[in-house]
Amino acid sequence: MLRHEFRPGRLVAGMAFTLAGVIYVGDAGGLWETPWFVVIPVVAVGLSLAGATGVLTRALRRRRGIRRGSGADTAAGSETTA
């Protein structure tokens, strides 16, 4: 049973921030040297992709809801109670 609905936009944003954190941790740990401005495009692109994913998800869910609501199975007499 799901406790909440899945939001892929938040997943994409979380992955972008995780990548930014890994970049900084690798720099701090001495594994590689990263200029300070590298993380800005990573976060900006990640947030842009997250926004686009969220808009697309909302549009698909709204469209699916309209399609489900217009079927014959939503008639008043066809609902069963459990």
Side-chain angles (χ1 to χ4, degrees):
M1 182 170 147
L2 291 175
R3 295 179 186 213
H4 56 82
E5 66 178 327
F6 176 64
R7 296 185 182 249
R10 292 185 180 188
L11 175 67
V12 173
M15 289 173 56
F17 282 115
T18 301
L19 177 62
V22 166
I23 290 171
Y24 273 133
V25 166
D27 185 30
L31 297 174
W32 57 77
E33 191 166 326
T34 307
W36 64 270
F37 55 84
V38 169
V39 176
I40 294 172
V42 169
V43 171
V45 168
L47 288 176
S48 298
L49 286 175
T53 304
V55 168
L56 181 65
T57 302
R58 176 174 281 183
L60 289 174
R61 286 183 180 169
R62 188 172 291 168
R63 185 173 183 180
R64 186 183 303 166
I66 291 172
R67 207 179 280 168
R68 283 185 184 168
S70 63
D73 59 337
T74 59
S78 65
E79 293 185 33
T80 59
T81 56

